[in-house]
Amino acid sequence: MNEIIAMKKVSPETRITPQEPIQQLLGKLKEKMKLVYHQRGDISEYSKQRGIAPFALREIMAVNPLSIGIPKEYGGRGAIMSENLALLETASYESLALSLTFGINSALFLQPVGKYALNEAKADVFKRFMEQQNMGGLMITEPDFGSDALNMQTFFKENQDAFHLQGKKHWAGLTGWADFWLLTARKKSENDELLRDIDFFICDVTQKDQGIKVEEFYDNLGLYQIPYGRNHIDVKIPKKQKLKPQTTGVKMMLDLLHRSRMQFPGMGMGFIHRMLDEAVIHCKQRFVGGKSLFNYDQVQSRLSKLQASFTVCSAMCANSSKVAGVDKDLTGIGIEANSVKSVITDLMQEAAQSVTQLVGAKAYRNSHIAGRGITDSRPFQIFEGSNDILYAQISEGIIKQMKRLKEKNFFQFLKGNELTSRSADHLKKLFNFDLDLQLSQRKLVELGQVLGRVISMEMVFKLADNGFRNDLIQGGINMLQDEITALMSNFHLSPQPLVVEDYQQGSSWLDLV
């Protein structure tokens, strides 16, 4: 890992001017990826190795892609959301792991630092990103407190000139690799009680008393290029490196996480586009029974859903470009952000599974883009909020709004909500009923799956307004409508079976023959 870090510095003459047109920057990134993944190296071989080959990282970072996440006053491109999404899309067409590396740096480090850090802290951080190709990540999750982030046990005490943080963090992408970390901790009072609010600190691991000890590197199932592990935190952070929330630390965390979730479509865009291209090429070239796979009805069904997923993801990218900029407060958009993250990550996993099914045995290898895509896209449904939890939270948020408005009719509520008004009209027959506002947890999840797709359909309608081609729009709407219809049918089913704890008694088939 130290070898990789040592190779990251790039001489001044190789840097790219940050203000060049975005398409020019992305074009150079594509050329670098072509060079390292297909000419000087083989991406199928990289997929079997941990980490990124030093020369590959050096060539890719020579384009200075992370300048996209840095404010203009510090030499960057201005942290424009559409540009960041385009960067993630470009990278994920070749490598989902590389795209996630960019996403961790931009959404989970550079954007919050640019928005909430003190000016004296920003200057050094951004200078090193621009000139030395440093990297940064975020540590929230703890071994005993995963999704329960508000109960994290990492704590800090304030001294005369520094904050002393102690605790454990794990599953932080770029473990042992990043030069900077955003660390989260709760303040410990004089009577040793942890306060409820959460604070964020910039940790510079290259400085004295700020080193983070990696206790274990995890053998993550996919995303081999990104190191994960368990970290021991015992650092002293200068006071200038504490982020300053506009209100509370919890709201700052929500703003950060919601913005990050709104950027998942950038990673999903290139990935789904690649899955679609691979599937179409294979099906046109593969002949079975005297005709190409492309002409079989079931194959057309799979391909059309891949294409519809491409359209839905395009709609999400266009939407995030407008509503998720760093200048906006995203604290209160949990329903929208959770819908975007959960639906697009479901579509990513389904896309990889579908292409693997179409290609067959050849795809069931780590060296094949589709087979590798299954394991690389799977954790997207888990990190930054497990989809089951996010779907339940979507329903809880909607039900809370319905109670406040004293509205029980599901259609009437959706019709009056800006996130769902047009799609509700399109699906009136499915939604014209009184909703039970006291749902079980599993029904909250099922309803959240419906709502996530209804909100996604609204984004597709808006994409159509902007001139996206109509046949693709119709395919996206049809797919979402089919999924919503099936999910609503399941939602209305009454039986909710429970686990039989003593199932081993009287359940041996062998005793019956």
Side-chain angles (χ1 to χ4, degrees), residues 67-96:
S67 63
I68 283 178
I70 295 174
K72 287 186 177 180
E73 56 266 37
Y74 295 95
R77 297 187 60 89
I80 300 169
M81 186 53 61
S82 60
E83 291 194 357
N84 191 72
L85 292 166
L87 171 68
L88 300 178
E89 175 186 0
T90 300
S92 63
Y93 189 87
E94 287 288 353
S95 169
L96 195 52

Short mmCIF file of all heavy atoms in Angstrom, two decimals, residues 67-96:
data_model
loop_
_atom_site.label_atom_id
_atom_site.label_comp_id
_atom_site.label_asym_id
_atom_site.label_seq_id
_atom_site.Cartn_x
_atom_site.Cartn_y
_atom_site.Cartn_z
N SER A 67 -10.11 17.59 -9.34
CA SER A 67 -10.28 19.04 -9.41
C SER A 67 -11.75 19.40 -9.57
O SER A 67 -12.18 20.51 -9.25
CB SER A 67 -9.48 19.62 -10.58
OG SER A 67 -9.96 19.12 -11.82
N ILE A 68 -12.55 18.44 -10.05
CA ILE A 68 -13.99 18.67 -10.23
C ILE A 68 -14.66 18.95 -8.89
O ILE A 68 -15.64 19.68 -8.83
CB ILE A 68 -14.62 17.45 -10.94
CG1 ILE A 68 -14.29 17.52 -12.45
CG2 ILE A 68 -16.13 17.39 -10.74
CD1 ILE A 68 -14.81 16.36 -13.26
N GLY A 69 -14.15 18.40 -7.80
CA GLY A 69 -14.78 18.58 -6.49
C GLY A 69 -14.24 19.73 -5.68
O GLY A 69 -14.63 19.90 -4.52
N ILE A 70 -13.34 20.53 -6.25
CA ILE A 70 -12.67 21.60 -5.51
C ILE A 70 -13.19 22.96 -5.96
O ILE A 70 -13.34 23.22 -7.16
CB ILE A 70 -11.14 21.50 -5.71
CG1 ILE A 70 -10.63 20.19 -5.10
CG2 ILE A 70 -10.41 22.69 -5.10
CD1 ILE A 70 -9.17 19.90 -5.37
N PRO A 71 -13.46 23.89 -5.01
CA PRO A 71 -13.96 25.23 -5.35
C PRO A 71 -13.00 25.98 -6.27
O PRO A 71 -11.78 25.78 -6.22
CB PRO A 71 -14.08 25.93 -4.00
CG PRO A 71 -14.20 24.82 -3.00
CD PRO A 71 -13.37 23.69 -3.54
N LYS A 72 -13.53 26.87 -7.08
CA LYS A 72 -12.72 27.61 -8.04
C LYS A 72 -11.68 28.49 -7.37
O LYS A 72 -10.57 28.67 -7.89
CB LYS A 72 -13.62 28.46 -8.95
CG LYS A 72 -14.40 27.65 -9.96
CD LYS A 72 -15.17 28.56 -10.92
CE LYS A 72 -15.89 27.73 -11.98
NZ LYS A 72 -16.64 28.60 -12.93
N GLU A 73 -12.02 29.04 -6.20
CA GLU A 73 -11.08 29.94 -5.54
C GLU A 73 -9.83 29.22 -5.04
O GLU A 73 -8.84 29.85 -4.68
CB GLU A 73 -11.76 30.68 -4.38
CG GLU A 73 -12.39 29.79 -3.34
CD GLU A 73 -13.87 29.56 -3.59
OE1 GLU A 73 -14.25 29.43 -4.77
OE2 GLU A 73 -14.62 29.50 -2.60
N TYR A 74 -9.88 27.88 -5.06
CA TYR A 74 -8.71 27.09 -4.68
C TYR A 74 -8.10 26.36 -5.88
O TYR A 74 -7.35 25.41 -5.72
CB TYR A 74 -9.08 26.09 -3.58
CG TYR A 74 -9.50 26.77 -2.30
CD1 TYR A 74 -10.84 27.01 -2.02
CD2 TYR A 74 -8.55 27.20 -1.37
CE1 TYR A 74 -11.24 27.65 -0.86
CE2 TYR A 74 -8.93 27.84 -0.20
CZ TYR A 74 -10.28 28.06 0.06
OH TYR A 74 -10.66 28.70 1.22
N GLY A 75 -8.46 26.80 -7.09
CA GLY A 75 -7.87 26.24 -8.30
C GLY A 75 -8.66 25.12 -8.93
O GLY A 75 -8.24 24.58 -9.97
N GLY A 76 -9.79 24.73 -8.35
CA GLY A 76 -10.58 23.63 -8.88
C GLY A 76 -11.62 24.09 -9.89
O GLY A 76 -11.64 25.25 -10.32
N ARG A 77 -12.51 23.18 -10.25
CA ARG A 77 -13.52 23.47 -11.27
C ARG A 77 -14.81 24.02 -10.67
O ARG A 77 -15.72 24.39 -11.39
CB ARG A 77 -13.82 22.21 -12.09
CG ARG A 77 -12.62 21.70 -12.88
CD ARG A 77 -13.05 20.55 -13.79
NE ARG A 77 -14.06 20.98 -14.74
CZ ARG A 77 -13.80 21.49 -15.94
NH1 ARG A 77 -12.55 21.65 -16.33
NH2 ARG A 77 -14.79 21.84 -16.73
N GLY A 78 -14.93 24.03 -9.33
CA GLY A 78 -16.09 24.66 -8.73
C GLY A 78 -17.10 23.72 -8.10
O GLY A 78 -18.17 24.15 -7.68
N ALA A 79 -16.80 22.42 -8.03
CA ALA A 79 -17.72 21.45 -7.41
C ALA A 79 -19.12 21.54 -8.01
O ALA A 79 -20.13 21.54 -7.30
CB ALA A 79 -17.76 21.64 -5.89
N ILE A 80 -19.18 21.61 -9.34
CA ILE A 80 -20.46 21.65 -10.05
C ILE A 80 -21.04 20.24 -10.11
O ILE A 80 -20.38 19.30 -10.54
CB ILE A 80 -20.27 22.22 -11.47
CG1 ILE A 80 -19.70 23.64 -11.39
CG2 ILE A 80 -21.58 22.20 -12.24
CD1 ILE A 80 -19.23 24.18 -12.73
N MET A 81 -22.28 20.08 -9.66
CA MET A 81 -22.84 18.74 -9.51
C MET A 81 -22.92 17.97 -10.83
O MET A 81 -22.61 16.78 -10.88
CB MET A 81 -24.23 18.83 -8.88
CG MET A 81 -24.86 17.48 -8.54
SD MET A 81 -23.79 16.40 -7.53
CE MET A 81 -23.61 17.40 -6.05
N SER A 82 -23.31 18.62 -11.91
CA SER A 82 -23.41 17.92 -13.19
C SER A 82 -22.05 17.40 -13.64
O SER A 82 -21.94 16.30 -14.20
CB SER A 82 -23.99 18.84 -14.26
OG SER A 82 -23.18 19.99 -14.44
N GLU A 83 -20.98 18.15 -13.37
CA GLU A 83 -19.64 17.71 -13.74
C GLU A 83 -19.20 16.53 -12.89
O GLU A 83 -18.57 15.59 -13.39
CB GLU A 83 -18.64 18.86 -13.59
CG GLU A 83 -18.82 19.97 -14.60
CD GLU A 83 -17.64 20.92 -14.66
OE1 GLU A 83 -16.68 20.75 -13.86
OE2 GLU A 83 -17.67 21.83 -15.49
N ASN A 84 -19.54 16.56 -11.61
CA ASN A 84 -19.17 15.45 -10.74
C ASN A 84 -19.88 14.17 -11.18
O ASN A 84 -19.28 13.09 -11.22
CB ASN A 84 -19.53 15.77 -9.29
CG ASN A 84 -18.93 14.78 -8.32
OD1 ASN A 84 -17.73 14.75 -8.08
ND2 ASN A 84 -19.78 13.91 -7.77
N LEU A 85 -21.15 14.28 -11.52
CA LEU A 85 -21.90 13.11 -11.99
C LEU A 85 -21.32 12.58 -13.29
O LEU A 85 -21.23 11.36 -13.50
CB LEU A 85 -23.38 13.47 -12.17
CG LEU A 85 -24.16 13.78 -10.88
CD1 LEU A 85 -25.48 14.45 -11.21
CD2 LEU A 85 -24.38 12.52 -10.07
N ALA A 86 -20.91 13.50 -14.18
CA ALA A 86 -20.32 13.08 -15.45
C ALA A 86 -18.99 12.37 -15.23
O ALA A 86 -18.66 11.42 -15.95
CB ALA A 86 -20.13 14.30 -16.35
N LEU A 87 -18.22 12.82 -14.24
CA LEU A 87 -16.96 12.15 -13.90
C LEU A 87 -17.22 10.73 -13.43
O LEU A 87 -16.57 9.77 -13.86
CB LEU A 87 -16.22 12.94 -12.82
CG LEU A 87 -14.99 12.25 -12.22
CD1 LEU A 87 -13.87 12.14 -13.25
CD2 LEU A 87 -14.51 13.00 -10.97
N LEU A 88 -18.20 10.57 -12.54
CA LEU A 88 -18.53 9.25 -12.01
C LEU A 88 -19.02 8.33 -13.12
O LEU A 88 -18.68 7.15 -13.17
CB LEU A 88 -19.58 9.37 -10.91
CG LEU A 88 -19.20 10.21 -9.68
CD1 LEU A 88 -20.36 10.27 -8.70
CD2 LEU A 88 -17.96 9.64 -8.99
N GLU A 89 -19.83 8.88 -14.02
CA GLU A 89 -20.34 8.09 -15.15
C GLU A 89 -19.21 7.62 -16.05
O GLU A 89 -19.15 6.45 -16.44
CB GLU A 89 -21.33 8.93 -15.96
CG GLU A 89 -21.83 8.23 -17.22
CD GLU A 89 -22.70 9.12 -18.09
OE1 GLU A 89 -22.92 10.29 -17.73
OE2 GLU A 89 -23.15 8.64 -19.15
N THR A 90 -18.31 8.52 -16.38
CA THR A 90 -17.20 8.18 -17.27
C THR A 90 -16.34 7.08 -16.67
O THR A 90 -15.96 6.12 -17.36
CB THR A 90 -16.33 9.43 -17.53
OG1 THR A 90 -17.14 10.44 -18.14
CG2 THR A 90 -15.17 9.10 -18.45
N ALA A 91 -16.04 7.18 -15.38
CA ALA A 91 -15.20 6.17 -14.72
C ALA A 91 -15.91 4.84 -14.59
O ALA A 91 -15.31 3.77 -14.80
CB ALA A 91 -14.76 6.68 -13.36
N SER A 92 -17.20 4.85 -14.25
CA SER A 92 -17.89 3.58 -13.98
C SER A 92 -18.17 2.78 -15.24
O SER A 92 -18.46 1.58 -15.15
CB SER A 92 -19.20 3.84 -13.22
OG SER A 92 -20.11 4.60 -13.99
N TYR A 93 -18.08 3.39 -16.41
CA TYR A 93 -18.22 2.62 -17.64
C TYR A 93 -17.08 1.60 -17.75
O TYR A 93 -17.26 0.50 -18.26
CB TYR A 93 -18.23 3.54 -18.86
CG TYR A 93 -18.59 2.82 -20.15
CD1 TYR A 93 -19.92 2.68 -20.52
CD2 TYR A 93 -17.61 2.27 -20.97
CE1 TYR A 93 -20.27 2.01 -21.69
CE2 TYR A 93 -17.94 1.60 -22.14
CZ TYR A 93 -19.27 1.48 -22.49
OH TYR A 93 -19.60 0.80 -23.64
N GLU A 94 -15.90 1.97 -17.27
CA GLU A 94 -14.75 1.07 -17.28
C GLU A 94 -14.58 0.33 -15.97
O GLU A 94 -14.28 -0.86 -15.95
CB GLU A 94 -13.46 1.86 -17.58
CG GLU A 94 -13.32 2.30 -19.01
CD GLU A 94 -13.03 1.15 -19.97
OE1 GLU A 94 -12.80 0.01 -19.50
OE2 GLU A 94 -13.02 1.39 -21.19
N SER A 95 -14.75 1.02 -14.85
CA SER A 95 -14.45 0.42 -13.55
C SER A 95 -15.34 1.03 -12.48
O SER A 95 -15.22 2.22 -12.16
CB SER A 95 -12.98 0.64 -13.19
OG SER A 95 -12.73 0.31 -11.84
N LEU A 96 -16.21 0.21 -11.91
CA LEU A 96 -17.07 0.69 -10.83
C LEU A 96 -16.24 1.05 -9.60
O LEU A 96 -16.56 2.00 -8.88
CB LEU A 96 -18.10 -0.38 -10.48
CG LEU A 96 -19.30 0.04 -9.63
CD1 LEU A 96 -20.00 1.24 -10.23
CD2 LEU A 96 -20.27 -1.12 -9.47
#
